[in-house]
Amino acid sequence: TADPVECEGLKLNPNWIYEKIAFHIAVPAGGACAGGTLPVYRMYNDGQTQAPNHRFTTDLALHQQFVGTMGWLPEGIVFCAP
């Protein structure tokens, strides 16, 4: 996650392992990305296959397909790609 609050919360959960900072990336402000960057959407399968999984995409149509027809949970724009 690029969200510091979410990261701190996950560190408190013994089911997650903190693996240090892997990269730095811009985060959305007010739910939108700055000009010149692309929104990256995150979806969560809520353990549908007995294995919790996230999927990331810059393609809004693909995001809507996963959420609308495949039962994935939308997590919104989580960071902004250059």
Side-chain angles (χ1 to χ4, degrees):
T1 182
D3 181 339
V5 174
E6 183 179 33
C7 184
E8 290 305 314
L10 291 171
K11 286 178 184 177
L12 299 174
N13 184 333
N15 295 323
W16 291 91
I17 298 171
Y18 178 63
E19 296 177 333
K20 308 286 185 224
I21 295 173
F23 60 91
H24 294 274
I25 194 152
V27 294
C33 291
T37 63
L38 294 172
V40 177
Y41 304 92
R42 183 173 74 184
M43 303 83 76
Y44 178 60
N45 75 351
D46 201 22
Q48 291 178 46
T49 60
Q50 308 309 320
N53 194 359
H54 286 93
R55 175 92 32 138
F56 297 85
T57 184
T58 58
D59 185 333
L60 180 58
L62 182 62
H63 174 265
Q64 291 172 329
Q65 177 185 353
F66 270 75
V67 171
T69 64
M70 299 171 67
W72 287 58
L73 303 176
E75 295 188 317
I77 300 170
V78 292
F79 47 83
C80 307

Short mmCIF file of all heavy atoms in Angstrom, two decimals, residues 40-80:
data_model
loop_
_atom_site.label_atom_id
_atom_site.label_comp_id
_atom_site.label_asym_id
_atom_site.label_seq_id
_atom_site.Cartn_x
_atom_site.Cartn_y
_atom_site.Cartn_z
N VAL A 40 -4.30 4.32 -10.63
CA VAL A 40 -4.16 2.86 -10.51
C VAL A 40 -5.24 2.41 -9.54
O VAL A 40 -5.27 2.82 -8.39
CB VAL A 40 -2.75 2.46 -10.01
CG1 VAL A 40 -2.67 0.95 -9.83
CG2 VAL A 40 -1.69 2.95 -10.97
N TYR A 41 -6.15 1.55 -10.05
CA TYR A 41 -7.27 1.04 -9.27
C TYR A 41 -6.88 -0.29 -8.63
O TYR A 41 -6.18 -1.09 -9.23
CB TYR A 41 -8.49 0.81 -10.17
CG TYR A 41 -8.91 2.04 -10.93
CD1 TYR A 41 -8.42 2.30 -12.20
CD2 TYR A 41 -9.81 2.94 -10.37
CE1 TYR A 41 -8.81 3.43 -12.90
CE2 TYR A 41 -10.20 4.08 -11.06
CZ TYR A 41 -9.69 4.31 -12.33
OH TYR A 41 -10.08 5.44 -13.01
N ARG A 42 -7.39 -0.52 -7.42
CA ARG A 42 -7.13 -1.79 -6.73
C ARG A 42 -8.47 -2.46 -6.45
O ARG A 42 -9.42 -1.82 -6.01
CB ARG A 42 -6.36 -1.54 -5.43
CG ARG A 42 -5.98 -2.82 -4.69
CD ARG A 42 -5.09 -2.54 -3.50
NE ARG A 42 -5.84 -1.96 -2.42
CZ ARG A 42 -5.29 -1.53 -1.27
NH1 ARG A 42 -3.99 -1.61 -1.08
NH2 ARG A 42 -6.05 -1.00 -0.33
N MET A 43 -8.53 -3.77 -6.69
CA MET A 43 -9.70 -4.57 -6.38
C MET A 43 -9.25 -5.72 -5.48
O MET A 43 -8.10 -6.13 -5.51
CB MET A 43 -10.31 -5.19 -7.64
CG MET A 43 -10.72 -4.21 -8.73
SD MET A 43 -9.37 -3.72 -9.80
CE MET A 43 -9.14 -5.13 -10.84
N TYR A 44 -10.20 -6.24 -4.70
CA TYR A 44 -9.90 -7.32 -3.76
C TYR A 44 -10.92 -8.44 -3.97
O TYR A 44 -12.12 -8.19 -4.05
CB TYR A 44 -9.98 -6.78 -2.33
CG TYR A 44 -9.75 -7.79 -1.25
CD1 TYR A 44 -8.55 -8.49 -1.16
CD2 TYR A 44 -10.72 -8.04 -0.31
CE1 TYR A 44 -8.33 -9.42 -0.15
CE2 TYR A 44 -10.51 -8.96 0.71
CZ TYR A 44 -9.32 -9.64 0.78
OH TYR A 44 -9.11 -10.56 1.78
N ASN A 45 -10.45 -9.69 -4.03
CA ASN A 45 -11.36 -10.81 -4.28
C ASN A 45 -12.04 -11.34 -3.03
O ASN A 45 -12.85 -12.25 -3.10
CB ASN A 45 -10.64 -11.96 -5.01
CG ASN A 45 -9.72 -12.76 -4.12
OD1 ASN A 45 -9.43 -12.41 -2.98
ND2 ASN A 45 -9.21 -13.85 -4.67
N ASP A 46 -11.73 -10.78 -1.88
CA ASP A 46 -12.37 -11.16 -0.60
C ASP A 46 -12.27 -12.65 -0.33
O ASP A 46 -13.16 -13.26 0.24
CB ASP A 46 -13.83 -10.70 -0.58
CG ASP A 46 -14.39 -10.58 0.82
OD1 ASP A 46 -13.61 -10.44 1.78
OD2 ASP A 46 -15.63 -10.63 0.97
N GLY A 47 -11.17 -13.26 -0.77
CA GLY A 47 -10.91 -14.67 -0.49
C GLY A 47 -11.79 -15.64 -1.27
O GLY A 47 -11.95 -16.79 -0.87
N GLN A 48 -12.34 -15.21 -2.40
CA GLN A 48 -13.25 -16.06 -3.18
C GLN A 48 -12.66 -17.42 -3.54
O GLN A 48 -13.37 -18.40 -3.60
CB GLN A 48 -13.64 -15.36 -4.50
CG GLN A 48 -14.50 -14.15 -4.33
CD GLN A 48 -14.78 -13.51 -5.67
OE1 GLN A 48 -15.11 -14.19 -6.64
NE2 GLN A 48 -14.66 -12.20 -5.74
N THR A 49 -11.38 -17.47 -3.78
CA THR A 49 -10.74 -18.72 -4.18
C THR A 49 -9.99 -19.36 -3.02
O THR A 49 -9.08 -20.15 -3.23
CB THR A 49 -9.76 -18.47 -5.34
OG1 THR A 49 -8.75 -17.55 -4.88
CG2 THR A 49 -10.46 -17.91 -6.55
N GLN A 50 -10.36 -18.98 -1.81
CA GLN A 50 -9.69 -19.43 -0.59
C GLN A 50 -8.30 -18.83 -0.46
O GLN A 50 -7.53 -19.24 0.40
CB GLN A 50 -9.63 -20.97 -0.50
CG GLN A 50 -10.97 -21.65 -0.68
CD GLN A 50 -12.07 -21.10 0.22
OE1 GLN A 50 -11.88 -20.77 1.37
NE2 GLN A 50 -13.26 -20.96 -0.34
N ALA A 51 -7.96 -17.91 -1.35
CA ALA A 51 -6.68 -17.23 -1.29
C ALA A 51 -6.93 -15.74 -1.52
O ALA A 51 -7.22 -15.33 -2.65
CB ALA A 51 -5.73 -17.77 -2.36
N PRO A 52 -6.88 -14.93 -0.47
CA PRO A 52 -7.09 -13.50 -0.64
C PRO A 52 -6.13 -12.93 -1.68
O PRO A 52 -4.96 -13.31 -1.73
CB PRO A 52 -6.80 -12.91 0.74
CG PRO A 52 -6.98 -14.05 1.68
CD PRO A 52 -6.58 -15.28 0.91
N ASN A 53 -6.64 -12.04 -2.54
CA ASN A 53 -5.83 -11.54 -3.63
C ASN A 53 -6.26 -10.13 -4.00
O ASN A 53 -7.44 -9.82 -3.98
CB ASN A 53 -5.99 -12.47 -4.84
CG ASN A 53 -4.96 -12.25 -5.90
OD1 ASN A 53 -4.09 -11.40 -5.80
ND2 ASN A 53 -5.04 -13.04 -6.96
N HIS A 54 -5.29 -9.31 -4.35
CA HIS A 54 -5.56 -7.98 -4.89
C HIS A 54 -5.16 -7.97 -6.36
O HIS A 54 -4.25 -8.69 -6.78
CB HIS A 54 -4.73 -6.91 -4.16
CG HIS A 54 -5.23 -6.60 -2.81
ND1 HIS A 54 -4.76 -7.23 -1.67
CD2 HIS A 54 -6.16 -5.71 -2.37
CE1 HIS A 54 -5.39 -6.76 -0.61
NE2 HIS A 54 -6.24 -5.83 -1.01
N ARG A 55 -5.83 -7.12 -7.11
CA ARG A 55 -5.49 -6.91 -8.51
C ARG A 55 -5.40 -5.40 -8.72
O ARG A 55 -6.21 -4.65 -8.19
CB ARG A 55 -6.57 -7.53 -9.40
CG ARG A 55 -6.46 -7.32 -10.86
CD ARG A 55 -5.71 -8.34 -11.66
NE ARG A 55 -5.73 -9.70 -11.26
CZ ARG A 55 -5.87 -10.71 -12.09
NH1 ARG A 55 -6.09 -10.50 -13.37
NH2 ARG A 55 -5.78 -11.94 -11.67
N PHE A 56 -4.42 -4.97 -9.49
CA PHE A 56 -4.20 -3.55 -9.78
C PHE A 56 -4.32 -3.35 -11.28
O PHE A 56 -3.85 -4.17 -12.07
CB PHE A 56 -2.80 -3.11 -9.34
CG PHE A 56 -2.57 -3.23 -7.86
CD1 PHE A 56 -2.16 -4.42 -7.29
CD2 PHE A 56 -2.73 -2.13 -7.04
CE1 PHE A 56 -1.93 -4.53 -5.93
CE2 PHE A 56 -2.50 -2.22 -5.68
CZ PHE A 56 -2.11 -3.42 -5.13
N THR A 57 -4.92 -2.21 -11.70
CA THR A 57 -5.02 -1.90 -13.11
C THR A 57 -5.16 -0.39 -13.32
O THR A 57 -5.68 0.30 -12.44
CB THR A 57 -6.21 -2.61 -13.79
OG1 THR A 57 -6.20 -2.34 -15.19
CG2 THR A 57 -7.55 -2.19 -13.20
N THR A 58 -4.70 0.08 -14.46
CA THR A 58 -4.93 1.47 -14.85
C THR A 58 -6.13 1.54 -15.79
O THR A 58 -6.52 2.63 -16.21
CB THR A 58 -3.69 2.06 -15.57
OG1 THR A 58 -3.39 1.26 -16.70
CG2 THR A 58 -2.50 2.14 -14.63
N ASP A 59 -6.72 0.41 -16.13
CA ASP A 59 -7.83 0.33 -17.07
C ASP A 59 -9.16 0.35 -16.31
O ASP A 59 -9.54 -0.63 -15.68
CB ASP A 59 -7.68 -0.97 -17.87
CG ASP A 59 -8.71 -1.12 -18.97
OD1 ASP A 59 -9.82 -0.57 -18.86
OD2 ASP A 59 -8.39 -1.83 -19.95
N LEU A 60 -9.88 1.48 -16.39
CA LEU A 60 -11.14 1.61 -15.68
C LEU A 60 -12.15 0.56 -16.11
O LEU A 60 -12.87 0.01 -15.27
CB LEU A 60 -11.71 3.02 -15.85
CG LEU A 60 -13.04 3.30 -15.15
CD1 LEU A 60 -12.95 3.06 -13.65
CD2 LEU A 60 -13.52 4.71 -15.46
N ALA A 61 -12.22 0.24 -17.40
CA ALA A 61 -13.17 -0.77 -17.89
C ALA A 61 -12.88 -2.13 -17.27
O ALA A 61 -13.80 -2.87 -16.89
CB ALA A 61 -13.14 -0.84 -19.41
N LEU A 62 -11.61 -2.49 -17.16
CA LEU A 62 -11.24 -3.77 -16.55
C LEU A 62 -11.62 -3.77 -15.06
O LEU A 62 -12.15 -4.75 -14.54
CB LEU A 62 -9.75 -4.05 -16.73
CG LEU A 62 -9.24 -5.37 -16.17
CD1 LEU A 62 -9.91 -6.55 -16.87
CD2 LEU A 62 -7.73 -5.45 -16.30
N HIS A 63 -11.36 -2.66 -14.39
CA HIS A 63 -11.74 -2.52 -12.98
C HIS A 63 -13.25 -2.74 -12.83
O HIS A 63 -13.69 -3.50 -11.97
CB HIS A 63 -11.33 -1.13 -12.48
CG HIS A 63 -11.80 -0.82 -11.10
ND1 HIS A 63 -12.96 -0.14 -10.87
CD2 HIS A 63 -11.26 -1.10 -9.90
CE1 HIS A 63 -13.12 -0.01 -9.56
NE2 HIS A 63 -12.10 -0.58 -8.96
N GLN A 64 -14.04 -2.09 -13.68
CA GLN A 64 -15.49 -2.22 -13.60
C GLN A 64 -15.95 -3.64 -13.91
O GLN A 64 -16.93 -4.12 -13.33
CB GLN A 64 -16.15 -1.21 -14.55
CG GLN A 64 -15.95 0.21 -14.06
CD GLN A 64 -16.40 1.25 -15.06
OE1 GLN A 64 -16.35 1.05 -16.28
NE2 GLN A 64 -16.84 2.39 -14.56
N GLN A 65 -15.25 -4.34 -14.80
CA GLN A 65 -15.59 -5.74 -15.10
C GLN A 65 -15.37 -6.62 -13.87
O GLN A 65 -16.23 -7.42 -13.51
CB GLN A 65 -14.74 -6.25 -16.26
CG GLN A 65 -14.97 -7.71 -16.57
CD GLN A 65 -14.03 -8.24 -17.65
OE1 GLN A 65 -13.28 -7.48 -18.26
NE2 GLN A 65 -14.05 -9.52 -17.87
N PHE A 66 -14.23 -6.47 -13.22
CA PHE A 66 -13.95 -7.28 -12.03
C PHE A 66 -14.97 -7.01 -10.93
O PHE A 66 -15.45 -7.93 -10.28
CB PHE A 66 -12.53 -7.00 -11.52
CG PHE A 66 -11.49 -7.89 -12.12
CD1 PHE A 66 -11.05 -7.71 -13.42
CD2 PHE A 66 -10.92 -8.91 -11.38
CE1 PHE A 66 -10.09 -8.54 -13.97
CE2 PHE A 66 -9.96 -9.75 -11.92
CZ PHE A 66 -9.54 -9.56 -13.23
N VAL A 67 -15.30 -5.74 -10.74
CA VAL A 67 -16.22 -5.35 -9.67
C VAL A 67 -17.67 -5.69 -10.05
O VAL A 67 -18.42 -6.22 -9.24
CB VAL A 67 -16.06 -3.85 -9.36
CG1 VAL A 67 -17.15 -3.37 -8.42
CG2 VAL A 67 -14.68 -3.58 -8.77
N GLY A 68 -18.04 -5.40 -11.29
CA GLY A 68 -19.43 -5.55 -11.70
C GLY A 68 -19.88 -6.96 -12.01
O GLY A 68 -21.03 -7.30 -11.79
N THR A 69 -18.98 -7.79 -12.53
CA THR A 69 -19.41 -9.12 -12.96
C THR A 69 -18.67 -10.27 -12.29
O THR A 69 -19.11 -11.41 -12.40
CB THR A 69 -19.25 -9.28 -14.49
OG1 THR A 69 -17.86 -9.19 -14.85
CG2 THR A 69 -20.04 -8.22 -15.25
N MET A 70 -17.56 -9.97 -11.61
CA MET A 70 -16.78 -11.06 -11.03
C MET A 70 -16.79 -11.06 -9.50
O MET A 70 -16.15 -11.89 -8.88
CB MET A 70 -15.34 -10.99 -11.57
CG MET A 70 -15.28 -11.15 -13.08
SD MET A 70 -13.67 -10.82 -13.80
CE MET A 70 -12.70 -12.15 -13.14
N GLY A 71 -17.50 -10.11 -8.92
CA GLY A 71 -17.67 -10.10 -7.47
C GLY A 71 -16.50 -9.55 -6.67
O GLY A 71 -16.45 -9.73 -5.46
N TRP A 72 -15.54 -8.90 -7.33
CA TRP A 72 -14.42 -8.32 -6.59
C TRP A 72 -14.87 -7.03 -5.92
O TRP A 72 -15.77 -6.34 -6.40
CB TRP A 72 -13.25 -8.04 -7.54
CG TRP A 72 -12.54 -9.28 -7.99
CD1 TRP A 72 -13.07 -10.34 -8.64
CD2 TRP A 72 -11.16 -9.58 -7.83
NE1 TRP A 72 -12.12 -11.29 -8.91
CE2 TRP A 72 -10.92 -10.84 -8.42
CE3 TRP A 72 -10.08 -8.90 -7.27
CZ2 TRP A 72 -9.68 -11.44 -8.45
CZ3 TRP A 72 -8.83 -9.50 -7.29
CH2 TRP A 72 -8.64 -10.75 -7.87
N LEU A 73 -14.25 -6.69 -4.81
CA LEU A 73 -14.58 -5.47 -4.08
C LEU A 73 -13.72 -4.32 -4.58
O LEU A 73 -12.50 -4.45 -4.69
CB LEU A 73 -14.34 -5.67 -2.58
CG LEU A 73 -15.11 -6.83 -1.94
CD1 LEU A 73 -14.71 -6.99 -0.49
CD2 LEU A 73 -16.61 -6.60 -2.07
N PRO A 74 -14.34 -3.16 -4.87
CA PRO A 74 -13.55 -2.02 -5.33
C PRO A 74 -12.84 -1.35 -4.16
O PRO A 74 -13.40 -1.20 -3.08
CB PRO A 74 -14.62 -1.09 -5.91
CG PRO A 74 -15.85 -1.39 -5.12
CD PRO A 74 -15.76 -2.86 -4.80
N GLU A 75 -11.59 -0.98 -4.36
CA GLU A 75 -10.84 -0.27 -3.33
C GLU A 75 -10.40 1.11 -3.81
O GLU A 75 -9.65 1.78 -3.14
CB GLU A 75 -9.65 -1.11 -2.86
CG GLU A 75 -10.11 -2.39 -2.18
CD GLU A 75 -8.98 -3.15 -1.54
OE1 GLU A 75 -7.89 -3.27 -2.14
OE2 GLU A 75 -9.19 -3.64 -0.42
N GLY A 76 -10.88 1.49 -4.99
CA GLY A 76 -10.65 2.83 -5.50
C GLY A 76 -9.27 3.04 -6.09
O GLY A 76 -8.53 2.10 -6.37
N ILE A 77 -8.94 4.32 -6.27
CA ILE A 77 -7.62 4.70 -6.79
C ILE A 77 -6.65 4.68 -5.62
O ILE A 77 -6.83 5.39 -4.64
CB ILE A 77 -7.66 6.10 -7.43
CG1 ILE A 77 -8.66 6.12 -8.58
CG2 ILE A 77 -6.28 6.51 -7.90
CD1 ILE A 77 -8.95 7.52 -9.11
N VAL A 78 -5.62 3.85 -5.72
CA VAL A 78 -4.70 3.69 -4.59
C VAL A 78 -3.35 4.36 -4.80
O VAL A 78 -2.64 4.62 -3.83
CB VAL A 78 -4.51 2.20 -4.22
CG1 VAL A 78 -5.80 1.63 -3.65
CG2 VAL A 78 -4.04 1.40 -5.42
N PHE A 79 -2.98 4.60 -6.04
CA PHE A 79 -1.81 5.42 -6.34
C PHE A 79 -1.87 5.88 -7.78
O PHE A 79 -2.78 5.53 -8.51
CB PHE A 79 -0.48 4.78 -5.98
CG PHE A 79 -0.27 3.35 -6.42
CD1 PHE A 79 0.16 3.05 -7.69
CD2 PHE A 79 -0.46 2.31 -5.53
CE1 PHE A 79 0.39 1.74 -8.08
CE2 PHE A 79 -0.23 1.00 -5.91
CZ PHE A 79 0.20 0.72 -7.19
N CYS A 80 -0.91 6.72 -8.15
CA CYS A 80 -0.90 7.35 -9.46
C CYS A 80 0.39 7.02 -10.19
O CYS A 80 1.47 7.32 -9.68
CB CYS A 80 -1.04 8.87 -9.30
SG CYS A 80 -2.46 9.33 -8.28
#
